[in-house]
Amino acid sequence: MQGWLLYPSPFDPHKKYPMVVAVHGGPASSVKPSWPRPGFNPALLSQQGYFVLMPNPRGSYGQGEKFATANVKDFRGGDLRDILAGVDEALKTADIDPQRIGLTGWSYGGFMTMFAVTQTNRFRAAVAGAGISNWQSYYGENSIDTWMLPYFGASVYDDPAVYAKMSAINFIKQVKTPTLVLVGERDGECPAPQSYEFYHALKTLGVKTEMVVYPNEGHSFHTPAHQKDVLLRMIDWFNQNLQ
């Protein structure tokens, strides 16, 4: 399984550092070496004293067709196990404090962040960007639903069970992780109601949470002030809860 581990800058080999796991969007995508670019970029956390783990779990590009389709009908299953295996491997090889690990992502990465905190308490802070908390309601809310059929095998009306088992909202009472929720007001790919649903549940259950909705933004942000604000809030949330 492939993943990239970015070291803190500057790095002191005599110290232990927190780590943030950054799950890519997609799900059909991959992390490749590249310079930071505008948008949601957790790699910037390396400048704030964090290791940043960027895994390519099953479903990612770059390792053949079988690997890229290995998450069909199994979002949150094997791919989450791959991510957690990456965390274990990073802990073996680098000076990471196991009590200070965070999780973040945008789009598919936002979904994985929402789902992962319902399944494990090893992440002490999370930032979910443009996530999906309820695949059943998502099917009728988004503007790109045809992409779902190859992954889920049927529409939500024909096989609601496969959508339900992948929905974080159905396991929401297990969440203990402080979670920041970020989304664009006009996001058609991962609509804002998905983030509202997750945030509202956490707030009702007494889990530390905040939510920011960015006006006139879609799935990708175009206003420089909003792009900057997302990054500053992400950094601040992890500094509050991991440092």
Side-chain angles (χ1 to χ4, degrees):
M1 203 63 59
Q2 182 193 60
W4 305 92
L5 184 64
L6 188 62
Y7 273 59
S9 179
F11 174 67
D12 181 350
H14 300 102
K15 290 175 56 179
K16 279 193 176 290
Y17 293 86
M19 179 176 75
V20 172
V21 182
V23 183
H24 65 66
S29 184
S30 63
V31 180
K32 300 177 289 293
S34 63
W35 290 104
R37 58 190 182 193
F40 190 72
N41 199 332
L44 298 178
L45 287 163
S46 68
Q47 300 172 341
Q48 305 295 316
Y50 293 86
F51 280 96
V52 183
L53 175 64
M54 297 169 283
N56 282 323
R58 67 191 72 187
S60 301
Y61 286 155
Q63 299 187 62
E65 181 179 355
K66 184 177 180 180
F67 187 84
T69 58
N71 60 350
V72 170
K73 293 187 178 182
D74 192 39
F75 289 169
R76 67 80 182 107
D79 44 4
L80 179 55
R81 292 194 298 274
D82 294 343
I83 292 165
L84 295 176
V87 172
D88 293 337
E89 187 66 23
L91 288 171
K92 294 177 186 176
T93 58
D95 297 311
I96 298 162
D97 183 348
Q99 301 303 314
R100 293 189 292 157
I101 299 177
L103 178 65
T104 190
W106 197 270
S107 192
Y108 167 77
F111 151 70
M112 187 58 71
T113 299
M114 290 178 174
F115 196 90
V117 297
T118 72
Q119 302 299 305
T120 177
N121 292 323
R122 73 186 303 182
F123 298 110
R124 299 306 173 91
V127 177
I132 298 168
S133 61
N134 185 341
W135 289 103
Q136 291 172 278
S137 58
Y138 171 80
Y139 196 94
E141 292 172 353
N142 77 88
S143 58
I144 57 165
D145 62 294
T146 54
W147 75 269
M148 302 172 73
L149 294 178
Y151 281 103
F152 288 81
S155 76
V156 69
Y157 315 115
D158 294 318
D159 189 1
V162 72
Y163 290 81
K165 74 176 185 178
M166 302 186 202
S167 296
I169 204 68
N170 292 328
F171 308 92
I172 198 69
K173 294 186 76 173
Q174 299 172 181
V175 181
K176 305 296 181 186
T177 306
T179 304
L180 172 64
V181 180
L182 306 169
V183 70
E185 177 189 31
R186 298 186 177 184
D187 192 332
E189 297 177 41
C190 297
Q194 290 294 310
S195 292
Y196 274 118
E197 189 169 352
F198 192 78
Y199 163 76
H200 185 271
L202 294 189
K203 187 175 180 181
T204 300
L205 295 169
V207 178
K208 182 179 179 181
T209 186
E210 293 179 9
M211 180 176 178
V212 182
V213 181
Y214 291 85
N216 299 314
E217 294 287 11
H219 197 56
S220 299
F221 289 10
H222 298 286
T223 303
H226 291 163
Q227 293 175 342
K228 181 178 179 180
D229 188 76
V230 164
L231 297 174
L232 292 176
R233 287 181 187 273
M234 173 190 66
I235 291 168
D236 182 63
W237 189 261
F238 286 126
N239 285 346
Q240 284 183 45
N241 294 286
L242 295 182
Q243 292 286 18

